[in-house]
Each structure stands twice: as structure tokens, then as C-alpha cells.
């Protein structure tokens, strides 16, 4: 991971896998509830990480444990609850488009919690442009396609959760092995999602897991998209930083729109395309403002 080019290739590969998870989750929603998908996915991921790194260590201090717990809650429980329920109420392509706002949200949160610098003109301009795109995406789902905007707002909540997760992973740092850090984050994700099983639509029925399509999609989500990709993503964040790495999320809307149109037959409208262009343009503007301020402070 010492080579930056390798980091870029790994980040793009992870984004490619994550872009297909919306389609896999959408398929699973015909057999499982959103909370069931989240729980089974994380159990599989944790077992894989436990096999890969079976060692346990004493907690370093209370602050670090809170960072792990926060990363587990925001990057696991809250993120996947909002994302999975968003997919139940809106298009997979809409979710991919709205999650593209997370790099901009990461930049904003980084300024509050780490850098503490004033917001530049490009950052504010990017914010306005991106949220104009968000409006178009929601308008496309609600007015043009007759969908409930509730799912789109849940997708925005998922983007905010992912931004918080990225900041917390950066704060945890590289003190521990990447496999151990990722496994511990998944442990806290499981711990914080267990209470949701008792008051949400979770069914203790193992027979629903006997279908080959269901098992195949769950294995893809739990083993490949979760344990392997989260491990690689953490390494890339430590190498390049959360703001720079989350810029690769720009590619998610493009991949997701293509995959969902091919696999699910979802419509691609001019409003969705225009909204996606505005979101990505706004994120690019805000990121350029972040880069310019960083150079000015050097």
C-alpha cells in the first residue's frame, strides 16, 4: 500500500464492487427485510475477519474505544439501516446518486472536527450546486416516477453517516493491524445493531436462507463487499486521508446507474442525469476549495 498508484487502483476496485451492492441488496429485498440483510451481512463479514485475524488485544484507552464504537455505529448500523431502507423506497440509482454527496459532507465535517478552517468560496459554491442536484434527484423520484421522497432522504442520511465513519477511521489511525481495526469496527456494528432486531422487522427464520440466490448475494455482500472491501478501504484512508479517498465515491453514481439499468431495468431519466452531474460538479468544486486551502496553509 506504499505506492499511491496502487492505492488509487484499489480504491477504484472497491468502488466498483460497492456500486453493485445496491443491485444485490435490491434483489435481496424480495426475500429479506432491510434489517435482516444488514444483520446477516455483518455476521458473515465478522466471521471472515475473525478467521483472518483471530488475535484479541486489550483496549488502549476509553477514547479509542469510543472511536471504534462510533465508527461501528455510523459506518455499520446507521449507514446500512438508512441505505437498505432507502433501497426499499426508492431506485438503486437514486441511492447511488445521493450517496455521492458524502465526499462533500466529509470535507465539511473534517473542517469542524479536524482542520477547523474557514469555509472558502468554492466550498460554499460546491455545496449550493450539489444540493441543487440533490433536489433534481428527489424531484425525479417523487414527481416524474411517483416515488416517495422518504427513501431519498434516507439515502442522504446514509451519506452523512459514511462521512462521520470516514473521519472516525482516520482518527483511529494505524496503531493496530488493519484486519484487527476493521474487525473491531464490525464488532461494534453488530453490538449496536442487535437492539434494532427486537423492534424492527427481523424474523428468526433460517429457512429463508436456503435459496441459492439469497445465499449468493449475502456471501457477496458479507465477504467481498464488507470484510474485504472495508479492510482495503481503511488502508487507503490511512494512506491518502478521508477527504481524498472519499472523492472516489464520485464514480458510484455512474456505475450504479449502469448496473441498475442493466440488472433491474430501472429507468434513466434526464432529471436523474442532470441531478447526478450537478452533485458531482458540486463535490468537485468543494474538493478543489479544500485542496486550495490546504496548499495555502502549507
Amino acid at each position: 500500500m506504499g505506492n499511491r498508484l496502487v492505492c488509487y487502483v484499489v480504491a477504484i476496485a472497491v468502488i466498483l464492487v460497492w456500486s453493485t451492492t445496491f443491485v444485490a441488496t435490491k434483489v435481496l429485498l424480495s426475500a429479506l427485510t432491510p434489517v435482516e440483510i444488514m444483520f446477516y451481512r455483518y455476521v458473515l463479514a465478522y466471521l471472515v475477519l475473525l478467521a483472518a485475524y483471530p488475535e484479541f488485544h486489550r483496549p488502549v484507552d476509553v477514547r479509542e474505544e469510543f472511536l471504534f464504537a462510533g465508527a461501528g455505529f455510523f459506518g455499520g448500523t446507521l449507514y446500512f439501516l438508512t441505505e437498505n431502507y432507502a433501497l426499499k423506497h426508492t431506485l438503486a440509482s437514486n441511492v447511488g446518486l445521493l450517496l455521492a454527496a458524502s465526499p462533500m459532507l466529509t470535507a465539511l465535517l473534517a473542517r469542524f472536527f479536524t482542520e477547523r478552517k474557514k469555509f472558502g468560496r468554492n466550498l460554499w459554491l460546491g455545496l449550493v450546486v450539489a444540493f441543487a442536484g440533490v433536489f433534481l434527484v428527489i424531484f425525479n423520484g417523487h414527481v416524474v416516477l411517483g416515488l416517495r421522497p422518504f427513501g431519498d432522504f434516507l439515502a442522504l442520511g446514509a451519506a452523512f453517516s459514511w462521512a462521520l465513519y470516514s473521519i472516525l477511521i482516520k482518527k483511529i489511525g494505524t496503531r493496530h493491524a488493519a484486519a484487527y481495526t476493521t474487525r473491531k469496527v464490525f464488532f461494534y456494528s453488530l453490538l449496536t445493531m442487535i437492539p434494532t432486531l427486537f423492534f424492527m422487522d427481523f424474523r428468526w427464520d433460517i429457512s429463508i436462507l436456503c435459496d441459492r440466490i439469497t445465499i449468493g448475494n449475502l456471501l457477496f455482500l458479507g465477504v467481498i463487499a464488507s470484510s474485504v472491501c472495508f479492510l482495503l478501504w481503511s488502508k487507503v484512508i490511512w494512506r491518502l486521508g478521508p477527504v481524498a479517498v472519499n472523492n472516489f465515491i464520485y464514480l458510484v453514481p455512474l456505475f450504479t446507474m449502469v448496473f441498475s439499468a442493466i440488472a433491474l431495468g430501472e429507468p434513466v431519466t434526464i432529471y436523474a442525469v442532470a441531478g447526478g452531474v450537478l452533485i458531482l460538479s458540486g463535490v468537485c468544486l468543494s474538493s478543489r476549495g479544500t485542496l486550495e486551502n490546504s496548499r495555502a496553509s502549507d
Side-chain angles (χ1 to χ4, degrees):
M1 299 301 293
N3 191 313
R4 293 179 70 87
L5 179 60
V6 174
C7 290
Y8 294 143
V9 172
V10 170
I12 292 172
V14 170
I15 287 299
L16 185 60
V17 171
W18 281 346
S19 298
T20 64
T21 61
F22 302 114
V23 176
T25 302
K26 197 81 172 178
V27 171
L28 282 172
L29 283 170
S30 62
L32 301 172
T33 66
V35 71
E36 288 169 347
I37 296 171
M38 175 186 67
F39 179 71
Y40 292 132
R41 175 178 181 171
Y42 262 68
V43 168
L44 283 170
Y46 183 78
L47 291 176
V48 170
L49 289 167
L50 183 61
Y53 194 94
E55 299 179 30
F56 289 84
H57 306 290
R58 287 185 177 182
V60 175
D61 52 43
V62 175
R63 176 183 177 275
E64 186 180 79
E65 288 304 299
F66 273 113
L67 290 175
F68 273 116
F73 175 72
F74 288 110
T77 305
L78 187 59
Y79 174 80
F80 282 109
L81 274 178
T82 50
E83 180 196 283
N84 289 356
Y85 276 98
L87 286 165
K88 188 174 182 180
H89 296 289
T90 190
L91 301 177
S93 54
N94 274 26
V95 176
L97 286 168
L98 294 170
L99 284 176
S102 62
M104 179 182 60
L105 294 172
T106 303
L108 289 170
L109 291 173
R111 288 169 176 270
F112 280 116
F113 295 112
T114 58
E115 299 172 5
R116 298 184 181 277
K117 297 175 183 176
K118 292 182 178 180
F119 294 168
R121 182 180 60 183
N122 281 333
L123 189 60
W124 283 116
L125 181 60
L127 185 69
V128 172
V129 171
F131 274 97
V134 168
F135 170 78
L136 272 182
V137 172
I138 296 176
F139 175 84
N140 169 66
H142 181 53
V143 178
V144 179
L145 301 176
L147 300 174
R148 293 169 55 193
F150 178 64
D152 294 323
F153 287 115
L154 284 175
L156 285 176
F160 184 78
S161 296
W162 188 258
L164 283 170
Y165 163 78
S166 300
I167 297 298
L168 292 170
I169 281 292
K170 180 63 176 178
K171 283 183 172 291
I172 291 171
T174 57
R175 179 181 298 179
H176 308 289
Y180 174 75
T181 297
T182 308
R183 191 193 75 197
K184 195 163 185 176
V185 168
F186 272 63
F187 167 76
Y188 277 111
S189 294
L190 279 171
L191 194 65
T192 54
M193 73 175 60
I194 285 174
T196 67
L197 306 182
F198 297 98
F199 61 86
M200 302 188 79
D201 48 355
F202 185 88
R203 297 163 295 176
W204 298 96
D205 184 6
I206 303 300
S207 64
I208 60 178
L209 302 178
C210 295
D211 181 69
R212 286 184 296 176
I213 295 177
T214 300
I215 287 294
N217 280 286
L218 279 176
L219 287 172
F220 169 72
L221 291 174
V223 178
I224 305 299
S226 292
S227 55
V228 175
C229 286
F230 269 73
L231 174 61
L232 293 174
W233 195 255
S234 295
K235 286 189 173 184
V236 174
I237 283 180
W238 294 333
R239 180 68 179 87
L240 302 178
V243 176
V245 173
N246 269 4
N247 287 340
F248 286 98
I249 295 176
Y250 301 163
L251 300 172
V252 169
L254 173 62
F255 292 149
T256 303
M257 191 175 292
V258 171
F259 292 142
S260 60
I262 295 172
L264 302 174
E266 291 188 353
V268 179
T269 69
I270 187 63
Y271 296 105
V273 173
V277 169
L278 285 175
I279 291 173
L280 297 183
S281 299
V283 173
C284 287
L285 275 171
S286 64
S287 298
R288 189 173 68 177
T290 301
L291 181 60
E292 288 173 354
N293 284 346
S294 298
R295 287 174 177 172
S297 63
D298 288 341

